[in-house]
Amino acid sequence: NREGLLNAVADAGFAELTRRLAAVRRGDAVETLRAVLDTHLDFAMEKPRLFELMFLSLRPGARQFPGDFRAGASPTANVAVELIEEGMRRGDLRPGDAWEITLETGALLQGMVMLYLGGRIGMEAEEFRALCHRSFRRYFDGIRA
């Protein structure tokens, strides 16, 4: 049925994005998180309708915070949590709830992408990417150790 098809398409998108995220080179936590940001932005710009289906569309079967996330059911969130926890262990990031930080950064990214794709941010793609980097820099400055 339609719902099953949409979930299958979204799941395939999550699998692809998870593969891309797994390939991000790790280093300093903030630099790694910037690379994760760019990976998400690349995906959103290359496949805007798929990104919208995955993250912004109401659909049965979509994973929900906190239950599904904390249970490890979100492949993209799992990668982000692992990177954030690693940064906390190394002392790059202040201690905190890695799941909540993942939700916050995801909400910032997805909200900005939604506004951009919806024509509410009047910038060329590279200007938009720079705006995202400035916004995330301000956020990262708040969680950096």
Side-chain angles (χ1 to χ4, degrees):
N1 65 16
R2 184 177 191 280
E3 290 175 0
L5 178 60
L6 290 175
N7 281 331
V9 170
D11 287 345
F14 280 113
E16 179 183 345
L17 181 55
T18 300
R19 281 191 300 276
R20 291 184 187 197
L21 292 170
V24 168
R25 201 181 91 226
R26 297 181 184 200
D28 167 77
V30 172
E31 289 303 315
T32 302
L33 291 172
R34 283 189 186 115
V36 166
L37 168 64
D38 280 328
T39 301
H40 276 88
L41 288 172
D42 290 345
F43 188 88
M45 298 302 192
E46 292 167 19
K47 302 176 181 204
R49 298 290 75 88
L50 179 57
F51 187 89
E52 181 180 354
L53 172 66
M54 291 165 57
F55 291 106
L56 306 172
S57 296
L58 182 63
R59 58 183 171 78
R63 291 171 281 276
Q64 292 184 324
F65 184 88
D68 295 333
F69 283 61
R70 290 186 187 277
S74 174
T76 53
N78 292 342
V79 172
V81 164
E82 179 185 321
L83 294 172
I84 290 165
E85 288 176 338
E86 182 180 309
M88 288 176 185
R89 280 192 301 277
R90 285 199 331 236
D92 295 339
L93 303 176
R94 290 188 296 171
D97 185 322
W99 288 105
E100 288 183 4
I101 292 169
T102 296
L103 175 68
E104 293 160 3
T105 56
L108 177 57
L109 169 69
Q110 292 158 21
M112 293 185 78
V113 168
M114 179 181 70
L115 292 170
Y116 180 75
L117 295 178
R120 303 294 187 184
I121 297 177
M123 297 178 170
E124 296 297 323
E126 287 309 309
E127 292 176 284
F128 172 67
R129 184 179 295 271
L131 172 64
C132 289
H133 275 267
R134 289 191 303 274
S135 296
F136 274 82
R137 183 178 58 241
R138 287 185 286 269
Y139 181 84
F140 293 150
D141 286 347
I143 64 172
R144 189 188 314 256

